[in-house]
Amino acid sequence: MAKKKVTKVVKLQFPAGGAKPGPALAGVGINMPQFCNAYNDATRDRKGDVVPVVITAYEDKSFDFVLKTTPAANMLKKAAGISKASGDQKQTAGSITADQLREIAEYKMPDLNANDVDAAMKIIAGTAKNMGIKINGYEG
């Protein structure tokens, strides 16, 4: 079987179960309704989350896609119970526990460049610090 020729690889984010045809997908060169149905079916169990996706478009208008984990910033805001992060690291927007940090780090492991959960926790803790989210009981 001949290999399909890749025309584009695009990274996008949609709400889980909520992708719809529009400008973000228009430039990808795929069958938008077909992608939306496949994406929505695959993410239906993650309602309320934003789900990044990497779409590989082929010359014949077919496509493959890979779902990624929810962005750390979204998970941190949800865990801290805030809708908006602080624009200033020195200003506290909210706080989470060390256990919540570990839970987020374990979930994000497949998409992080970390060898173990402790390294992943340091990455997520850095994101939290930049957002003004304090981590109670964590000395990273």
Side-chain angles (χ1 to χ4, degrees):
M1 190 171 145
K3 269 184 96 170
K4 295 182 193 178
K5 186 171 184 231
V6 174
T7 56
K8 236 180 213 180
V9 177
V10 185
K11 295 177 184 179
L12 298 170
Q13 293 183 12
F14 298 105
K20 39 188 175 253
L25 284 172
V28 181
I30 59 173
N31 180 328
M32 289 189 280
Q34 185 182 3
F35 167 77
C36 291
N37 287 337
Y39 176 90
N40 292 341
D41 288 343
T43 60
R44 214 167 290 293
D45 61 333
R46 292 168 67 175
K47 280 279 191 220
D49 287 344
V50 171
V51 183
V53 61
V54 178
I55 306 167
T56 304
Y58 299 103
E59 204 170 41
D60 64 356
K61 304 282 186 206
S62 65
F63 61 88
D64 290 322
F65 66 93
V66 178
L67 299 175
K68 299 291 186 178
T69 57
T70 302
N74 293 35
M75 296 183 74
L76 286 165
K77 286 192 286 189
K78 190 185 249 183
I82 59 175
S83 60
K84 190 170 187 252
S86 170
D88 180 8
Q89 291 181 22
K90 294 173 185 77
Q91 190 175 357
T92 303
S95 65
I96 62 170
T97 65
D99 289 340
Q100 287 174 306
L101 175 66
R102 176 173 287 280
E103 196 176 298
I104 293 168
E106 287 171 352
Y107 172 77
K108 290 291 295 175
M109 274 296 288
D111 289 345
L112 293 176
N113 189 12
N115 294 327
D116 57 34
V117 175
D118 289 332
M121 286 174 70
K122 286 180 182 174
I123 293 169
I124 303 300
T127 302
K129 181 179 177 183
N130 287 336
M131 296 172 66
I133 296 174
K134 189 174 172 232
I135 303 165
N136 299 322
Y138 177 72
E139 302 298 322

